[in-house]
Amino acid sequence: MKKVNPLSEPAFIAEPILTAEQVVKQKFPPTRFREGYSQDEVDDFLDKIVVGLRQWTSENEQLRAQLSGNLSS
């Protein structure tokens, strides 16, 4: 997956850069002998991202359907 700059201006693209399924399937290697992140906190944060991505995807699909319905009339 191509790296993106989260601080850059948003770009309008046909396909999402990151899907909810990619977030769900993402695995992080465990840390050993050094400090790391709380796995529970990371999981909770990723869960929130998944909900947001799914909501965005659903709303986007609804808007596309409405738009194509208006254009074909």
Side-chain angles (χ1 to χ4, degrees), residues 11-63:
F12 295 100
I13 55 175
E15 296 294 321
I17 293 172
L18 183 66
T19 66
E21 282 18 271
Q22 288 172 312
V23 174
V24 169
K25 292 178 181 177
Q26 178 64 46
K27 301 290 183 212
F28 297 97
T31 59
R32 295 180 190 212
F33 308 113
R34 59 187 162 116
E35 288 188 37
Y37 296 104
S38 162
Q39 187 172 356
D40 290 339
E41 287 182 26
V42 172
D43 288 344
D44 290 344
F45 182 72
L46 292 176
D47 289 345
K48 291 176 186 177
I49 292 172
V50 168
V51 169
L53 285 170
R54 287 183 175 150
Q55 179 179 351
W56 175 83
T57 301
S58 174
E59 290 172 358
N60 195 10
E61 289 171 355
Q62 290 173 0
L63 290 171

